[in-house]
Amino acid sequence: MEFKKYNHLKEEKKISDFWIKKGLFKPKKTKVKKYFSIVIPPPNVTGKLHMGHALNNSLQDVLVRFYRMKGFETLWQPGTDHAGIATQAIVEKNLQKKGIKKNDLGREKFIEEVWKWKDDSGQIILDQLKKLGCSCDWSRTRFTMDKDLSKAVTKVFVDLYNHKLIYKDKKLVNWDTHLQTAISDLEVIQKDVQSQLYYIDYQLENSETKITIATTRPETMMGDTAVAVNPKDTRYLNLIGKNVKIPMVNRTVKIIADHYADPEQGSGAVKITPAHDFNDYEVGKRNNLDIINIFEKNGKINKNGIKEFVGLDRFEARKLLTKQLKENGNLVKIETIKNKVPYGDRSNSIIEPLLTEQWFVDAKKLSKKPIKIVNDNKTSFFPSSWTKTFFLWMKNIEPWCISRQIWWGHRIPAWYDDNNNIFVAENEKDALNLANKKNKHKKFKLKQETDVLDTWFSSALWPFATLGWPIKTKEFLKFYPTSVLVTGFDIIFFWVARMLMMGNYFNKQTPFYKVYVHALVRDEKGQKMSKSKGNVIDPLELINEYGADSLRFTLISMASPGRDVKLSRDRVKGNRNFITKMWSANNFLNLNNCKLDKKVNLQSIKLPINQWIFNEFIKTQNIISKNIQIFRFDEAAKNAYQFVWHSYCDWYLEFLKPVFNSKNKAQVNEAKVFSSFMMVNILKILHPFIPFFTEAVWSKNKYKAVLKQDLISSSWPNYKNIKRFNKYQNDINNIIELISNIRSTKAELKITPKLFCNLSFSEKPKKLRKLINENLSLIKQVGRINGIVENNTNDKNSIDILVLKEKLSLGFTEDVDLVSQKERILHKIESINKQINSLNNKLKNKAYIKNAPKEIVQNDKKLVKELTVEDGKLRSIVSSIN
C-alpha cells in the first residue's frame, strides 16, 4: 500500500503528543548501570524560539536520543530562567499600558503581577521546543524561581557569605540609568557609533602653560581627580607632579605619570575620572586618587557637579558644558570618530560606570578549582581551542557583582539593624537570632535587603539544584555530574565558568565532564542576523513550511566545529527533499509488498546486493556512532545522508528492481524481507536527526507490532561484520562505478538517460568483461544496456570510456550528434581553463592571500581542484569521440 504525501504538520503534532503522553522521554532503568545526563541551558521565560535555540537544542537532542538508544538511562533536564531584568521590564510595560506604575503597586503586589504573567506566558518557549522535537523529561520542568530552587539559592548565598566568599563593597559597576540597576557584562552591548572627541585645554596652576586632554565625555570632567601622561612621553616629562586647573570646575588636580596614557591616542594626556570609567578607576587605585561621583542613579548631575548643572541629564549637561567651554576659549577642537559605546541590551540606553554599594562574589578564589579541573581534563572543551580562552578569562577574573536593584528575582537573604549591621541567614527568624546576639537584646528593627541576585547566580546552580540539591536525591546520585553541556560560546564566561565554580565548591565535583561549544547561526552571506538588517530567519516559520526535521537536519549537518552556520531557506528545502526521497523509498517497499520478519537470520542471506548493503550499513552505523561521540554532528549527518540517499535509495533499491521482477521466489522473498530489515535500521540511525519522520514511518509500517517497541525506545544498531559478505563488496562497487560512468558520459553528451547502448571491448580486458558477464542481467536493466557487441561497427555513434583502468566502448542504438557535442565540450574546456588560470593568478598574489578571508581563499583552492578534475574528464570524453 502506497502512503499519501507526508504531512509534517499533522504528523509532528501527533507524534509529539504521543511521546509525551506515554512518558517516553523519562529516564528508563536499564540492565547495565549506564547514565547519560544533560541540562538544557534554560531559556529566558520571556523568550521565543530563535535560530540559536534551534541549533543548540537540536544538537542536544541528537545526543540524548543517541545515548537513549545505546542503552543509557538518560535524563535531559528542561526548564526556564526567571530572567530578572527582562521579565520585570515586560511586566512594567504591560502595566503602563493600563496606566499602572510599578511603584504605585508596591513590591509585593508587583511580584504577584509577574507571577500571573509567568503563568500565562512562561510556557511559550517550552511549547516551541517541543515543536522542535526536544525529548526532554518535561515532567521534571524546573523554573529558577521554584520554591526548592530558591531554597538552594539562599543556602548557597549564606554558605558563601559565612566563608567570606560573598561580601558587600562600594565599587564601579555597569549602571543602567533607565532601569536604575547594576547589570552584568553580558547585558552590555558594545555598539560601534560615531562620537565626538573633544580637545580641552587645562591650564597649569600659576602658569600660562596649558595641557590639552581629549575626551568623548566632557561632562565627566566635573569628577576629574588627575590628568595622566605616559612616563615615557617626553612632551610632558617636565609637567609630571604639577597641578592643573579643571576649566569651569575651579578645582586643581595633579598631573601624574601612568602607563595607561597612550602617547599615540588623542593628545597623549588623559583626564582621570575614577568614579565614571573602569580604566580610570584602576588608575585611581594605583595612584591613591580621590573618587568623586557626579551622577545620580537616573543619570542626572548630582550636588558634586557644577552648581548650575545640578539636576541636568548627563547629555544635556554635555551640550551646555561644551558650549560654555567654547565661549571661554578652553575648547580647542572637536573631531568626529568611530568608537565603541556600551548600551544596555534591555533598555537600549548608554551604560554609565557608576560607583555604588553592591554585593560581590570573590570569583578569584572560586576560580582556582575550575582552572585545575579543566587543566586536569576532568572537564574538557570541544573544540579544544576554547580551553585557552577559558583559562585566559579565568586567570584574569574580577569580583562578580551579584546584586541587582530590581524587584523580580531572588531577594538577597541579608537583613540590617538600625546601625546598618548586616545579618545574613536563610530566613528572617535566623537573622533575628543573629541580631539579638549582636545587639544584646536592645530594641531594634530588622529590614531586609531590597536588592535581588543576578540571574546568573541562580543559573550557576542549575546542574545540581534541578536534581534536588542540597538533598542527595536518587536523581542527583545518578545524574550528577552531568555528561555534557552544549552551549554557545557567548556564555562560556557568564554561565559555564560560574557553574564550574559553584559545582566544584558545593559538590567537590565538576558539574559536567564535557563542554561542547557551538558557533552562531548567521544568514547565507555570513551576516549576523538582526532585525535592523531584516535578515532574521524565524525557525517557527521554517518548521511550519518545511517541518521540524528539515530544519533540524540542516542545522545539524552544518554544525562544523568553530565555523558559523550560514543558513538559507534553500538548504532547509534541500533537506526536506531528502525526507521526501526517504518517503518515496518507503513507498517503493510497500508497493512491492516488503514485510518485516521479527527475526532475520543474517547467516542465511545469499543475495550479493543484500550482503553489499549490509556491509555498507555497518560502516555507516560505526562512523555515525563515532562522530556523535566526538561531537562531529555535521559529519554524522553527512554519513547518514550519503548512505541513505546514495547507497540505499540510488543503488540498492535500483538493484532490487530486477530481483523483484524475477521468477526466483527465494530471491524475491529474501529481497523483500531484507529491504524491510534495512529500512528498520535506517530509521534507527536517522532517528536522532529527524525524529518525527522516522517515528511516523515506523508507525505506518507497523514495525511496532512486529518488534514490540516504538522507534524512540529501540536499540541503536550494533551489527558486526560478516566475513563472507565481503566476497561481493568489490564487485558491487565496480558495477556502481561502471554504471555511473555510463550515466555521466550520457549527461555530458546531452544524451537522454533513457537511451540504451551496447558495450564492446576494443581491447581484451579480463576483469571488466568477467564482471559484466557475471552480472549482465543486473547491469543491463540498471545501466540501460542492450548487450555486449564484439565488434562495434557503428563508429559515428560510439565513444570510448575508461572504467577500472580498462577501455570500454559505448555504442548508441540511435543517431547521436557526437561531433557537435565535441565542439560544445571543447568550448566548455576552454571556459574552464580560463577560470582555472584566473583563480591561479589570484592565488599567486601574496596581497590577496594575506588580506582575503581564509574561507574565501580555501574555497578558491578547492574550486581549482574541482575544475581540474572536470577538465580531465571532459578531455577524456573529447579524445574518445570517433
Side-chain angles (χ1 to χ4, degrees):
M1 181 187 76
E2 185 179 10
F3 298 130
K4 293 177 184 177
K5 187 180 176 184
Y6 178 66
N7 183 336
H8 67 265
L9 291 171
K10 180 184 169 186
E11 294 294 341
E12 288 176 0
K13 175 74 172 73
K14 184 174 77 176
I15 288 163
S16 179
D17 291 345
F18 166 76
W19 282 331
I20 293 167
K21 187 180 177 183
K22 292 285 184 181
L24 297 175
F25 299 159
K26 293 180 179 181
K28 295 286 188 299
K29 286 185 180 178
T30 53
K31 291 176 184 177
V32 184
K33 289 185 178 181
K34 296 190 296 182
Y35 306 107
F36 180 85
S37 58
I38 191 167
V39 291
I40 199 170
N44 285 351
V45 71
T46 57
K48 288 187 180 171
L49 192 75
H50 58 63
M51 209 54 83
H53 290 134
L55 171 64
N56 179 274
N57 287 281
S58 295
L59 297 178
Q60 288 180 82
D61 199 47
V62 169
L63 290 169
V64 170
R65 289 179 185 271
F66 172 73
Y67 281 102
R68 188 184 287 129
M69 293 175 82
K70 289 282 281 182
F72 285 72
E73 189 173 342
T74 306
L75 172 66
W76 186 7
Q77 175 61 55
T80 50
D81 190 283
H82 66 278
I85 292 173
T87 306
Q88 178 158 322
I90 286 173
V91 176
E92 276 192 69
K93 197 175 180 181
N94 291 343
L95 288 171
Q96 282 167 7
K97 288 175 186 174
K98 299 175 187 176
I100 303 169
K101 289 183 179 177
K102 177 192 76 170
N103 291 337
D104 293 341
L105 272 181
R107 186 170 191 139
E108 284 185 22
K109 286 189 177 177
F110 176 77
I111 289 171
E112 283 175 18
E113 290 296 322
V114 181
W115 278 107
K116 282 180 195 173
W117 176 88
K118 188 263 175 187
D119 292 340
D120 291 341
S121 307
Q123 188 68 21
I124 291 172
I125 183 72
L126 298 179
D127 289 340
Q128 291 168 342
L129 288 171
K130 289 173 188 174
K131 204 170 183 182
L132 186 66
C134 297
S135 59
C136 305
D137 182 359
W138 297 109
S139 67
R140 290 184 52 84
T141 300
R142 312 310 304 273
F143 179 53
T144 48
M145 289 284 285
D146 285 347
K147 280 185 179 178
D148 51 348
L149 267 71
S150 295
K151 281 182 181 177
V153 169
T154 301
K155 176 177 172 49
V156 164
F157 186 96
V158 174
D159 283 4
L160 290 175
Y161 179 82
N162 288 338
H163 288 89
K164 295 184 169 47
L165 290 166
I166 282 180
Y167 58 93
K168 199 171 186 184
D169 198 2
K170 198 170 189 179
K171 288 188 180 183
L172 211 58
V173 295
N174 294 309
W175 186 263
D176 190 313
T177 58
H178 178 75
L179 298 173
Q180 294 193 37
T181 180
I183 62 172
S184 72
D185 290 340
L186 185 63
E187 292 153 329
V188 177
I189 301 168
Q190 297 290 342
K191 292 186 183 180
D192 286 310
V193 298
Q194 217 170 47
S195 297
Q196 306 295 311
L197 183 64
Y198 302 87
Y199 287 79
I200 303 164
D201 276 345
Y202 283 31
Q203 191 166 338
L204 261 71
E205 190 178 32
N206 303 320
S207 170
E208 293 300 313
T209 306
K210 293 175 182 177
I211 187 168
T212 305
I213 62 93
T215 179
T216 55
R217 300 161 66 215
E219 68 280 5
T220 60
M221 64 194 286
M222 296 183 234
D224 286 358
T225 55
V227 169
V229 295
N230 194 290
K232 292 181 181 178
D233 194 336
T234 54
R235 294 172 296 174
Y236 301 120
L237 289 179
N238 63 324
L239 300 182
I240 295 168
K242 294 187 177 178
N243 290 336
V244 289
K245 193 176 179 184
I246 306 169
M248 295 181 57
V249 179
N250 296 321
R251 181 161 47 79
T252 58
V253 296
K254 259 195 174 48
I255 297 174
I256 62 170
D258 195 282
H259 287 282
Y260 168 63
D262 184 351
E264 304 298 319
Q265 292 289 320
S267 65
V270 59
K271 58 189 278 313
I272 303 297
T273 319
H276 300 295
D277 183 279
F278 288 104
N279 290 315
D280 290 7
Y281 183 70
E282 293 304 318
V283 174
K285 281 202 295 185
R286 283 197 295 273
N287 294 277
N288 296 315
L289 299 179
D290 290 338
I291 298 174
I292 302 170
N293 175 25
I294 63 158
F295 291 126
E296 299 286 0
K297 290 179 179 178
N298 59 7
K300 291 183 178 180
I301 306 297
N302 67 15
K303 62 182 181 181
N304 293 328
I306 300 168
K307 193 173 182 181
E308 62 187 288
F309 287 80
V310 174
L312 284 181
D313 177 77
R314 54 190 165 152
F315 301 118
E316 289 173 14
R318 182 180 298 176
K319 284 180 187 174
L320 182 59
L321 187 68
T322 51
K323 184 184 173 214
Q324 292 188 12
L325 285 169
K326 190 176 182 181
E327 289 169 358
N328 296 345
N330 293 102
L331 186 62
V332 179
K333 62 177 179 176
I334 303 172
E335 284 180 356
T336 300
I337 61 163
K338 266 196 171 182
N339 68 330
K340 289 189 183 294
V341 174
Y343 282 77
D345 68 343
R346 298 294 168 190
S347 64
N348 200 35
S349 67
I350 293 176
I351 295 305
E352 197 64 58
L354 195 70
L355 196 65
T356 58
E357 203 168 33
Q358 302 287 346
W359 290 87
F360 294 89
V361 168
D362 188 341
K364 195 76 177 172
K365 282 184 183 173
L366 284 178
S367 70
K368 287 177 183 176
K369 190 69 185 289
I371 289 169
K372 188 177 187 308
I373 287 287
V374 175
N375 211 31
D376 293 346
N377 273 327
K378 289 179 181 174
T379 291
S380 308
F381 282 87
F382 299 86
S384 59
S385 55
W386 287 109
T387 309
K388 188 179 177 182
T389 312
F390 172 80
F391 285 140
L392 192 66
W393 188 78
M394 289 294 269
K395 286 171 182 177
N396 294 289
I397 201 165
E398 295 290 330
W400 170 19
C401 175
I402 55 170
S403 44
R404 299 291 178 267
Q405 289 66 51
I406 56 173
W407 288 352
W408 173 243
H410 297 100
R411 196 166 175 181
I412 290 175
W415 284 261
Y416 302 90
D417 65 13
D418 300 327
N419 295 316
N420 234 21
N421 292 310
I422 300 172
F423 305 98
V424 170
E426 291 190 28
N427 52 62
E428 191 169 4
K429 186 182 175 184
D430 289 350
L432 192 60
N433 288 336
L434 291 172
N436 278 326
K437 288 177 186 177
K438 176 78 175 176
N439 288 281
K440 294 178 182 174
H441 306 291
K442 290 178 188 174
K443 282 188 177 181
F444 61 89
K445 285 183 181 177
L446 275 188
K447 187 179 178 184
Q448 190 176 353
E449 171 67 80
T450 56
D451 288 358
V452 299
L453 287 164
D454 175 15
T455 299
W456 296 102
F457 189 90
S458 50
S459 300
L461 319 184
W462 189 249
F464 54 90
T466 51
L467 297 173
W469 185 92
I471 299 167
K472 297 289 175 73
T473 61
K474 285 180 183 176
E475 289 80 10
F476 179 87
L477 295 171
K478 276 184 185 179
F479 298 116
Y480 188 88
T482 60
S483 308
V484 62
L485 179 78
V486 178
T487 184
F489 66 84
D490 51 342
I491 54 173
I492 286 178
F493 316 124
F494 302 100
W495 188 45
V496 179
R498 285 158 184 175
M499 284 190 287
L500 283 164
M501 287 179 195
M502 297 301 191
N504 280 295
Y505 184 81
F506 286 97
N507 297 297
K508 311 304 177 194
Q509 280 180 298
T510 185
F512 25 75
Y513 294 117
K514 295 172 183 175
V515 181
Y516 175 74
V517 184
H518 61 75
L520 287 174
V521 183
R522 297 180 180 270
D523 71 8
E524 59 188 309
K525 294 175 184 173
Q527 300 263 327
K528 191 173 180 179
M529 292 187 195
S530 69
K531 288 178 183 176
S532 60
K533 288 178 186 169
N535 65 344
V536 174
I537 304 172
D538 183 352
L540 295 168
E541 277 182 28
L542 293 180
I543 287 171
N544 288 332
E545 192 171 350
Y546 301 110
D549 287 324
S550 303
L551 175 61
R552 284 171 62 116
F553 199 78
T554 304
L555 293 170
I556 294 161
S557 63
M558 296 177 75
S560 302
R563 187 176 295 175
D564 287 338
V565 173
K566 293 181 183 177
L567 185 68
S568 69
R569 280 179 174 271
D570 284 345
R571 282 188 178 271
V572 182
K573 190 177 178 181
N575 284 312
R576 193 269 312 271
N577 295 343
F578 172 60
I579 289 167
T580 303
K581 177 117 177 167
M582 273 290 297
W583 186 254
S584 301
N586 190 62
N587 272 335
F588 172 77
L589 298 187
N590 285 315
L591 286 169
N592 284 283
N593 256 337
C594 299
K595 302 287 182 188
L596 179 68
D597 274 4
K598 188 174 183 180
K599 287 186 178 178
V600 175
N601 183 0
L602 292 172
Q603 296 300 333
S604 68
I605 299 303
K606 293 176 182 175
L607 276 173
I609 55 166
N610 284 340
Q611 294 180 3
W612 169 79
I613 195 67
F614 184 70
N615 272 355
E616 291 297 307
F617 177 79
I618 288 173
K619 283 188 274 183
T620 305
Q621 149 207 295
N622 292 340
I623 194 67
I624 290 174
S625 294
K626 182 187 173 186
N627 279 325
I628 290 176
Q629 287 165 342
I630 62 171
F631 309 111
R632 285 309 305 263
F633 301 102
D634 56 328
E635 289 298 323
K638 284 167 195 168
N639 301 143
Y641 182 96
Q642 289 293 332
F643 173 78
V644 173
W645 187 293
H646 298 296
S647 301
Y648 187 80
C649 295
D650 283 352
W651 293 111
Y652 177 66
L653 296 187
E654 279 296 307
F655 290 155
L656 279 185
K657 288 174 184 176
V659 180
F660 286 155
N661 293 330
S662 78
K663 292 177 182 178
N664 187 323
K665 286 186 178 179
Q667 286 190 354
V668 171
N669 187 53
E670 182 189 309
K672 287 182 176 183
V673 169
F674 200 76
S675 59
S676 294
F677 168 77
M678 286 310 306
M679 177 56 76
V680 162
N681 286 293
I682 282 170
L683 293 177
K684 287 182 176 186
I685 62 168
L686 284 176
H687 182 70
F689 307 99
I690 48 174
F692 291 114
F693 174 81
T694 49
E695 192 77 77
V697 173
W698 186 278
S699 173
K700 289 180 185 297
N701 288 353
K702 297 184 170 53
Y703 290 158
K704 184 180 178 180
V706 178
L707 301 172
K708 308 300 180 191
Q709 60 186 174
D710 300 298
L711 175 57
I712 190 175
S713 305
S714 67
S715 297
W716 184 260
N718 189 28
Y719 295 106
K720 305 298 178 192
N721 198 32
I722 297 172
K723 272 190 179 179
R724 70 180 182 85
F725 282 17
N726 296 335
K727 183 180 177 183
Y728 298 104
Q729 203 70 12
N730 286 338
D731 282 357
I732 300 294
N733 287 330
N734 289 339
I735 291 167
I736 288 170
E737 187 178 335
L738 167 66
I739 295 169
S740 296
N741 258 311
I742 294 168
R743 288 175 176 176
S744 64
T745 302
K746 283 182 182 178
E748 199 56 61
L749 293 169
K750 304 288 183 189
I751 296 170
T752 175
K754 293 180 181 178
L755 186 63
F756 279 75
C757 65
N758 292 314
L759 302 181
S760 64
F761 302 97
S762 53
E763 298 168 0
K764 290 186 178 180
K766 294 177 182 178
K767 288 182 183 177
L768 190 57
R769 176 170 283 207
K770 184 173 182 287
L771 175 75
I772 292 169
N773 285 333
E774 287 177 355
N775 299 278
L776 191 58
S777 174
L778 180 68
I779 292 168
K780 282 172 80 172
Q781 186 163 335
V782 180
R784 294 193 169 268
I785 304 298
N786 284 321
I788 298 174
V789 179
E790 288 304 321
N791 291 305
N792 194 353
T793 54
N794 195 0
D795 287 342
K796 71 168 188 171
N797 287 331
S798 71
I799 184 169
D800 294 336
I801 62 171
L802 205 63
V803 180
L804 307 175
K805 298 180 181 179
E806 296 182 11
K807 197 180 278 186
L808 181 69
S809 186
L810 306 181
F812 298 101
T813 54
E814 295 177 16
D815 283 345
V816 289
D817 189 357
L818 294 179
V819 175
S820 65
Q821 291 301 332
K822 184 176 183 177
E823 287 299 313
R824 181 185 61 78
I825 294 170
L826 284 169
H827 284 303
K828 191 173 179 182
I829 289 170
E830 188 181 347
S831 173
I832 286 171
N833 274 277
K834 281 181 182 175
Q835 204 176 345
I836 290 171
N837 289 334
S838 172
L839 285 165
N840 279 332
N841 287 333
K842 249 204 303 185
L843 292 167
K844 285 175 188 173
N845 186 330
K846 289 179 181 177
Y848 172 71
I849 298 292
K850 185 181 177 183
N851 299 319
K854 283 184 182 178
E855 197 175 327
I856 291 174
V857 174
Q858 288 303 319
N859 285 341
D860 284 349
K861 288 179 179 177
K862 185 182 174 187
L863 186 55
V864 168
K865 285 181 182 177
E866 289 170 357
L867 290 170
T868 305
V869 170
E870 189 180 356
D871 176 69
K873 284 181 181 177
L874 294 176
R875 286 179 188 276
S876 176
I877 290 171
V878 166
S879 66
S880 65
I881 293 176
N882 297 311

